[in-house]
Amino acid sequence: MKIFKTISSIRSYLQELRNGKSIGFVPTMGALHQGHISLVHRANLENDIVVCSIFVNPIQFNKKEDLAKYPRTIEKDIIKLDEIECDVLFAPDVDEMYPEPVFDKYDFGHLEKVMEGQHRPGHFNGVAVVVKKLFDVIEPHKAYFGLKDYQQLKIIEKMVSSLSLDMQIVSCPTLREKDGLAMSSRNVRLSKYERSIAPAIFRVLNSLKEKINQITPAEAENWAIKQLNKFVEMKVEYFSIVGADDLLSVKSWDDRPHIVACTAINLGKVRLIDNIILF
Ligand code: PAF
């Protein structure tokens, strides 16, 4: 695997290599787990060249402590990427990505005002800025994102369509541990006890399937919050049942053709997100 730290070096390398070949791109912030690996596998199946990036993007963290605590495991990540035949790794430092202060402002309307957007002001603008910059550098044909960050996926799809970028966003299933906990770089920060109760998040999400048409979406949200609040260590930040495309809340189950339930939970000091596409 070739590793680049500067924009100019990866650009000129890809320019030579490209030559009619397709490029699949997997952007990450490192601390790679099986979820990321599955994205690289998929990119490998569908493209001639696979590029992965590792960059802990400071401008998408609205809390300094969260940025400081974000796990950084670059040596282990490089070994994992090498093993699964990633061709190119782009691992720039902050000055390389942001030599000047960032003023770009995106407007994603309602998509950025709810759930993660409401609780993490500026988060999605930071994501959009870095992803657009990475797309400009790599010029991929396809880019791969996990459904675990459902709202992020919708925002990036919106950015690609509104800027008419000539590329495809590929959404990939959330990978889960055997007990249902969604794989996340943050899981390593859970204590043994927190880790043992964390699977309740997916259990509750999954149980919502039985509530469809039995109770209203608002009642289902309240039911889910009540279940999760039974664990004193869990603080539900939001639990929202929304249209899968517009993320608008729904009054009844037939309000939208597809409905998703999304949640963010603070478990001890760790913030976990998860979701389920109900139909
Ligand atoms: O999902 C992530 O890991 C990050 O938000 C991304 C897309 C790599 C942008 O920093």
Side-chain angles (χ1 to χ4, degrees):
M1 180 174 69
K2 288 262 181 202
I3 303 176
F4 296 95
K5 289 186 78 68
T6 66
I7 292 175
S8 59
S9 61
I10 190 166
R11 264 205 181 122
S12 54
Y13 180 75
L14 289 177
Q15 204 170 354
E16 292 230 331
L17 197 65
R18 195 175 303 266
N19 207 3
K21 297 192 180 95
S22 63
I23 297 188
F25 176 45
V26 181
T28 80
M29 297 205 296
L32 302 181
H33 51 69
Q34 272 313 111
H36 298 111
I37 302 300
S38 71
L39 302 182
V40 177
H41 273 310
R42 174 93 181 257
N44 243 320
L45 287 176
E46 298 182 354
N47 301 276
D48 302 314
I49 302 165
V50 176
V51 181
C52 183
S53 66
I54 294 180
F55 178 64
V56 182
N57 176 31
I59 67 166
Q60 73 183 72
F61 288 82
N62 57 317
K63 287 189 184 145
K64 276 204 177 112
E65 321 87 79
D66 206 18
L67 171 62
K69 280 187 295 191
Y70 201 84
R72 289 162 171 85
T73 56
I74 186 82
E75 279 89 12
K76 284 190 193 153
D77 292 344
I78 290 174
I79 295 171
K80 286 183 187 162
L81 289 174
D82 237 347
E83 275 171 9
I84 54 165
E85 288 169 25
C86 174
D87 302 298
V88 181
L89 170 63
F90 181 44
D93 61 25
V94 174
D95 291 342
E96 180 67 15
M97 287 300 277
Y98 303 124
E100 289 165 24
V102 181
F103 297 112
D104 308 21
K105 283 272 170 290
Y106 287 88
D107 183 356
F108 297 107
H110 180 76
L111 284 186
E112 68 177 16
K113 295 199 172 64
V114 290
M115 304 193 295
E116 290 302 287
Q118 187 185 351
H119 292 271
R120 302 179 69 190
H123 169 66
F124 286 124
N125 200 63
V127 170
V129 167
V130 79
V131 170
K132 174 66 171 60
K133 188 144 187 174
L134 289 166
F135 286 174
D136 287 346
V137 173
I138 313 291
E139 295 184 55
H141 296 86
K142 292 183 180 178
Y144 295 78
F145 291 87
L147 275 160
K148 200 198 104 204
D149 293 287
Y150 189 83
Q151 193 173 5
Q152 167 173 284
L153 174 70
K154 291 292 129 185
I155 295 256
I156 290 164
E157 284 174 351
K158 175 89 182 157
M159 180 182 82
V160 167
S161 69
S162 60
L163 297 175
S164 307
L165 302 184
D166 187 16
M167 59 174 295
Q168 195 190 324
I169 298 297
V170 183
S171 63
C172 303
T174 302
L175 255 69
R176 298 185 179 279
E177 304 292 350
K178 282 202 183 76
D179 56 16
L181 177 64
M183 290 187 185
S184 161
S185 307
R186 295 168 192 251
N187 292 352
V188 293
R189 293 181 36 229
L190 295 169
S191 72
K192 212 167 168 195
Y193 177 68
E194 288 160 358
R195 176 64 189 80
S196 75
I197 61 171
I201 301 170
F202 184 59
R203 266 203 312 276
V204 169
L205 282 166
N206 215 18
S207 307
L208 284 176
K209 288 181 189 157
E210 292 148 31
K211 307 287 172 198
I212 298 168
N213 296 329
Q214 304 298 318
I215 54 178
T216 66
E219 285 165 346
E221 285 175 359
N222 289 335
W223 172 83
I225 293 169
K226 207 167 145 196
Q227 303 309 306
L228 294 164
N229 278 342
K230 285 182 184 162
F231 299 92
V232 281
E233 297 76 9
M234 284 196 192
K235 304 267 171 301
V236 180
E237 209 169 83
Y238 64 81
F239 197 107
S240 306
I241 298 180
V242 294
D245 291 318
D246 54 17
L247 307 186
L248 285 166
S249 64
V250 287
K251 286 206 164 46
S252 72
W253 297 105
D254 50 17
D255 257 8
R256 296 283 182 287
H258 299 287
I259 288 184
V260 61
C262 302
T263 187
I265 313 271
N266 287 297
L267 179 46
K269 293 202 165 68
V270 186
R271 187 173 184 278
L272 300 175
I273 60 169
D274 201 354
N275 65 75
I276 191 165
I277 298 175
L278 291 169
F279 55 86

